[in-house]
Amino acid sequence: MFSEVVGHSFQLERIKKLVEEGKFPSSSIFSGPEGVGKKLVARLTLESLTGSSLNVRLIGEEKPPTIDNVREMISWLFVKPSSGKGKGVVIDRADEMRTETA
C-alpha cells in the first residue's frame, strides 16, 4: 500500500491501523518540511481508504488555493460521485492560504 514511501514507518503504521479498523478521521493534516512526502502519503492514504474507486482532486499544487478554488471544491464535494465510492481532496500549500480562504 505505501511501498512508494521511504521512511515514516511509525506514521505509516498508525495510518494503516486506523484504516484497517475503520477509524480513519474524515479530515487529516499532513504537516512537515517541504519534500518529505506529505502529498504522496495523503494520496496513498485516500487510495487505501476505498481502493481506486475514490475520486480525488488536488488543489493548490502550483500556487496557494484561492477562495474561488475552495468554493469550487466544496461544490464538487456536495455532488454525489458519478462513479466510484466517494470523493477526497488533497489541499496542497494550505499553510500559505489567506485567512479568508482558510
Side-chain angles (χ1 to χ4, degrees):
M1 169 169 37
F2 292 100
S3 59
E4 300 173 49
V5 181
V6 177
H8 310 295
S9 58
F10 174 79
Q11 292 83 358
L12 294 176
E13 286 304 315
R14 180 80 172 133
I15 290 170
K16 288 177 194 175
K17 183 177 178 185
L18 289 169
V19 170
E20 289 168 5
E21 294 175 352
K23 295 181 179 179
F24 198 83
S26 60
S27 61
S28 299
I29 296 175
F30 294 83
S31 65
E34 188 173 335
V36 297
K38 299 178 296 288
K39 197 174 2 173
L40 173 63
V41 173
R43 183 181 54 80
L44 293 174
T45 299
L46 283 171
E47 289 175 7
S48 72
L49 288 168
T50 60
S52 60
S53 62
L54 184 70
N55 295 314
V56 177
R57 282 201 179 169
L58 172 66
I59 66 169
E61 191 168 30
E62 295 178 17
K63 61 181 183 174
T66 65
I67 196 159
D68 289 334
N69 298 140
V70 173
R71 286 180 178 146
E72 180 183 323
M73 175 199 62
I74 290 169
S75 295
W76 177 75
L77 284 171
F78 278 102
V79 175
K80 186 176 179 178
S82 57
S83 64
K85 291 184 180 179
K87 297 179 177 184
V89 176
V90 175
I91 303 173
D92 198 13
R93 302 176 71 157
D95 59 321
E96 299 175 30
M97 287 192 300
R98 296 177 60 130
T99 304
E100 62 270 14
T101 305

